[in-house]
Amino acid sequence: MPADAIDHPAWCEQSRCTADPSTQTAGYRPNLGGQHCSADLPLDQRPGNWPIPPHAVAWLSQAVALWRCSTYLHITLDRHIELAMPVASAAPILAGLSALVISALNDAEMNQ
């Protein structure tokens, strides 16, 4: 199946995508379907005072199988330490972190 005939998620970066649904037509075959991958989102943290990895990125992936697979958020530090979790689990964590950071920023603005 040509790459342009595959239904890619909106976030899929086709230059990084390895999705190949044709490998699954005769039944599920693990490790053969490839995955949709997003572009890297650099996590530039240089203003910090503590040891910060020189390379930190976040990206999404979704495996290809006969059924719909979960989308995962990956965070890679120093090109090898990786955290991966389903986006359904990551969403409330990121929302909580965002609220916490916004609260701190609002407090800083009020105390200027």
Side-chain angles (χ1 to χ4, degrees):
M1 176 178 292
D4 59 357
I6 299 171
D7 288 329
H8 295 275
W11 48 262
C12 185
E13 174 65 41
Q14 290 194 26
S15 66
R16 295 190 62 202
C17 181
T18 62
D20 184 2
S22 67
T23 63
Q24 307 298 313
T25 56
Y28 178 64
R29 296 170 63 197
N31 302 319
L32 291 180
Q35 63 182 349
H36 298 287
C37 294
S38 73
D40 284 345
L41 172 65
L43 303 176
D44 187 359
Q45 313 157 339
R46 282 180 250 157
N49 300 356
W50 43 279
I52 298 169
H55 182 265
V57 296
W59 54 283
L60 299 174
S61 74
Q62 183 183 69
V64 173
L66 296 172
W67 52 87
R68 181 159 176 85
C69 295
S70 295
T71 300
Y72 278 76
L73 169 68
H74 301 262
I75 299 175
T76 304
L77 304 173
D78 284 339
R79 293 181 171 86
H80 66 279
I81 301 169
E82 186 174 298
L83 166 72
M85 68 178 72
V87 294
S89 297
I93 293 168
L94 293 173
L97 288 171
S98 293
L100 190 61
V101 169
I102 288 169
S103 175
L105 290 172
N106 290 340
D107 186 56
E109 284 180 14
M110 291 175 60
N111 290 320
Q112 284 183 342

